[in-house]
């Protein structure tokens, strides 16, 4: 619970970046109290290549006496992912100038299914606090904070986690049945600031689509791509979006990644069929 208290204190006193830092401090206190060691979000560890080169909040190396157990590490990654999602969801939900009930309900349902009932109340409280922060400080300050928050996430999150984060944000934007142009723009800016390929936003918005055009967008290529380019693009998407790469975030998030992977496979099959491949 101290993780969330730290986040609230950060949101009140230091903006969104302060909230992320507050989360990290809260997580550290929580785990010191339980004897689990430092668990302040993401960090690198040996034996997991997708995490190499990512520095964590705690600054401890794997060879330190403060090294965490896998369980503690995974809990920190999961909670860091959840809080990052709330920060960016607040941005996407408000992008069209309205806070839609359908989008909020999607977030509640997502939290309930993936993180449990306690997370519903905590997550919604954080969203409301972030909405209030934007109202009090204005759009310009808010947007600056979002850019900085994305850059911070970029520095500590593996690419696969950032990809899954964007996938969830796209689903939130689509929840009211109408993706507003401002939501599309906001998600594209998030993608760039997270250090991902600029095509990722269109890819995630096109997941689940039935058209051939959607299929090409899912693979991140144009319809005039060669057959070899299609195969290469598919292999790259499998590598970037494979469910095993988000396994540390929990079985529920991994299941969501499996659904995403199936939609990527469906897109590939649609293109292969149209081309007679």
């Amino acid at each position: 619970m101290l993780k969330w208290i730290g986040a609230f204190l950060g949101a009140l006193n230091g903006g969104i970046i302060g909230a992320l830092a507050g989360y990290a401090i809260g997580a550290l206190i929580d785990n010191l109290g339980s004897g689990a060691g430092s668990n302040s979000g993401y960090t690198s560890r040996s034996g997991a290549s997708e995490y190499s080169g990512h520095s964590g909040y705690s600054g401890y190396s794997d060879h330190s006496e403060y090294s965490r157990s896998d369980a503690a590490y995974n809990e920190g990654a999961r909670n860091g992912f959840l809080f990052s999602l709330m920060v960016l969801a607040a941005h996407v939900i408000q992008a069209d100038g309205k806070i839609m009930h359908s989008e909020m309900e999607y977030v509640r349902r997502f939290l309930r299914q993936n993180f449990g009932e306690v997370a519903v109340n905590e997550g919604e409280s954080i969203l409301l606090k972030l909405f209030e922060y934007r109202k009090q400080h204005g759009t310009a300050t808010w947007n600056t904070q979002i850019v900085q928050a994305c850059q911070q996430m970029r520095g500590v999150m593996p690419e696969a986690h950032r990809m899954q984060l964007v996938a969830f944000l796209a689903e939130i934007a689509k929840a009211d049945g109408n993706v507003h142009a401002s939501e599309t723009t906001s998600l594209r800016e998030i993608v760039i600031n997270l250090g991902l390929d600029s095509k990722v936003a269109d890819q995630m918005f096109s997941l689940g689509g039935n058209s051939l055009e959607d299929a090409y967008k899912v693979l991140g290529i144009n319809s005039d791509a060669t057959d070899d380019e299609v195969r290469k693009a598919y292999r790259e998407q499998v590598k970037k979006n494979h469910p095993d790469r988000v396994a540390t975030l929990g079985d529920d998030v991994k299941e969501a990644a499996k659904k995403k992977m199936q939609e990527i496979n469906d897109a590939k099959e649609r293109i292969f069929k149209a081309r007679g491949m």
Side-chain angles (χ1 to χ4, degrees):
M1 188 64 67
L2 284 172
K3 300 179 185 68
W4 299 103
I5 294 173
F8 275 117
L9 291 175
L12 281 168
N13 299 316
I16 299 173
I17 294 300
L20 289 171
Y23 166 82
I25 293 170
L28 176 60
I29 294 172
D30 201 359
N31 282 282
L32 286 175
S34 65
S38 169
N39 182 21
S40 49
Y42 295 92
T43 188
S44 61
R45 26 171 220 178
S46 59
S49 60
E50 69 268 30
Y51 295 94
S52 62
H54 291 279
S55 60
Y57 292 114
S58 68
Y60 296 126
S61 70
D62 291 309
H63 303 293
S64 165
E65 62 182 324
Y66 297 101
S67 294
R68 299 178 299 277
S69 67
D70 284 347
Y73 174 87
N74 292 349
E75 181 187 357
R78 180 180 174 87
N79 286 324
F81 181 88
L82 173 59
F83 190 77
S84 298
L85 176 62
M86 291 301 96
V87 170
L88 297 184
H91 184 60
V92 172
I93 288 172
Q94 296 180 97
D96 58 0
K98 299 175 289 185
I99 300 175
M100 300 297 293
H101 172 77
S102 54
E103 293 171 328
M104 290 294 292
E105 187 55 37
Y106 176 87
V107 174
R108 294 187 193 100
R109 186 168 63 253
F110 166 80
L111 291 172
R112 184 175 293 110
Q113 292 174 349
N114 294 284
F115 295 92
E117 194 63 41
V118 173
V120 176
N121 295 328
E122 293 176 335
E124 186 170 10
S125 294
I126 285 176
L127 281 176
L128 294 176
K129 185 62 64 178
L130 292 169
F131 292 157
E132 183 63 24
Y133 177 88
R134 178 172 180 167
K135 181 179 179 180
Q136 290 181 357
H137 293 80
T139 300
T141 297
W142 170 267
N143 288 340
T144 298
Q145 289 285 319
I146 287 295
V147 170
Q148 293 174 351
C150 287
Q151 291 171 346
Q152 186 176 21
M153 294 171 200
R154 175 179 180 175
V156 296
M157 275 190 182
E159 181 183 35
H161 290 199
R162 284 175 277 145
M163 294 282 286
Q164 188 61 42
L165 194 61
V166 173
F168 283 138
L169 292 172
E171 290 302 314
I172 291 172
K174 292 189 288 186
D176 60 0
N178 179 36
V179 179
H180 194 275
S182 58
E183 293 174 321
T184 302
T185 298
S186 294
L187 193 59
R188 285 175 177 163
E189 290 172 348
I190 286 172
V191 164
I192 292 171
N193 288 316
L194 286 175
L196 299 171
D197 190 294
S198 59
K199 298 177 182 177
V200 168
D202 289 334
Q203 287 175 277
M204 298 308 172
F205 277 131
S206 299
L207 285 172
N210 297 316
S211 71
L212 191 58
E213 180 183 2
D214 286 330
Y216 280 112
K217 286 182 179 180
V218 168
L219 295 192
I221 54 177
N222 296 322
S223 58
D224 59 358
T226 65
D227 290 351
D228 284 343
E229 288 172 335
V230 170
R231 294 187 183 94
K232 180 181 178 181
Y234 171 68
R235 289 194 299 269
E236 289 177 350
Q237 292 309 313
V238 171
K239 180 179 179 181
K240 291 179 179 180
N241 294 281
H242 196 284
D244 286 347
R245 296 186 63 130
V246 296
T248 55
L249 299 178
D251 291 341
D252 33 33
V253 177
K254 186 176 179 179
E255 284 301 313
K258 285 181 180 179
K259 179 178 180 292
K260 179 179 63 172
M261 192 68 251
Q262 183 57 56
E263 290 172 340
I264 291 172
N265 287 333
D266 291 344
K268 181 261 291 183
E269 290 300 327
R270 203 176 308 134
I271 294 173
F272 276 30
K273 182 178 180 180
R275 290 173 171 242
M277 294 170 62

